[in-house]
Amino acid sequence: MQLDKISRNILSILQKEARITNQELADRVGLSPSSCLNRVRKLEEAGLIGPYLSTINLPKICRSVEVIVTVSLKDQSTEAFRTFQAAAQSHPEVVECYTVSGSFDFFLRIVAPDMMRYNEINDQLLDVLPGMVNLSSHVVLTTVKPFRGYPLNALMDEHC
């Protein structure tokens, strides 16, 4: 799908203000409300936006520990990667999982209620491929810059 300037503006606004009314969005991008809603629906149908999520302030809700984990597999086979990916996906506390290049194979972000639960998850991930998984854990002390959306204007130029 080709994105013109108006569609890129819609995407930029929606990723920061998902609850904006269609009327306000239309006003800000210079479209009629019906044209704006039509564009948003086309962006959704094309899979460019959605699902819609809310950012919650977890420390105000409960105690938790956030751990960034780098994972290296000794077995570099496709089957080993798929097995580990399935194990990571099976834990709801693994809130992000990336396969990456470089000195390790996976990057995980795990949010657990406490270190005891984190250690259980850690042990379960190690047991997926016994003796073949190396985990390096990094407890998050402070989030300096949380994810708040992609810098679309910096990533896209008129040729995208």
Side-chain angles (χ1 to χ4, degrees):
M1 179 177 187
Q2 193 71 285
L3 294 176
D4 63 11
K5 187 175 183 173
I6 292 173
S7 291
R8 289 195 316 232
N9 285 341
I10 289 171
L11 290 173
S12 291
I13 293 167
L14 285 177
Q15 77 173 343
K16 289 186 170 81
E17 304 172 57
R19 291 180 53 114
I20 190 172
T21 66
N22 183 59
Q23 178 67 55
E24 188 176 347
L25 180 61
D27 290 345
R28 286 177 55 186
V29 299
L31 291 175
S32 70
S34 61
S35 294
C36 184
L37 186 58
N38 187 41
R39 279 195 188 233
V40 170
R41 286 188 176 142
K42 285 181 181 178
L43 292 168
E44 289 171 337
E45 289 168 6
L48 298 180
I49 54 176
Y52 295 93
L53 305 171
S54 293
T55 301
I56 62 169
N57 188 340
L58 193 59
K60 288 192 174 201
I61 297 170
C62 62
R63 291 180 58 129
S64 64
V65 60
E66 183 173 355
V67 184
I68 304 300
V69 181
T70 58
V71 181
S72 297
L73 301 182
K74 291 179 184 168
D75 180 350
Q76 294 289 297
S77 70
T78 302
E79 183 180 334
F81 272 67
R82 286 186 183 142
T83 299
F84 188 84
Q85 288 169 351
Q89 289 175 336
S90 73
H91 292 282
E93 296 92 345
V94 178
V95 296
E96 289 182 279
C97 177
Y98 300 93
T99 303
V100 297
S101 63
S103 59
F104 52 89
D105 301 309
F106 293 94
F107 177 92
L108 308 177
R109 187 164 70 96
I110 300 175
V111 180
D114 52 40
M115 284 306 290
M116 191 164 97
R117 177 62 184 141
Y118 170 72
N119 283 330
E120 291 171 1
I121 296 165
N122 188 72
D123 290 345
Q124 291 166 1
L125 292 173
L126 287 170
D127 289 344
V128 169
L129 297 163
M132 303 300 271
V133 179
N134 180 29
L135 301 177
S136 181
S137 302
H138 312 272
V139 176
V140 174
L141 301 176
T142 305
T143 301
V144 177
K145 184 178 180 182
F147 180 76
R148 294 287 187 249
Y150 298 104
L152 291 180
N153 291 334
L155 294 171
M156 300 177 74
D157 59 21
E158 294 301 318
H159 299 58
C160 288

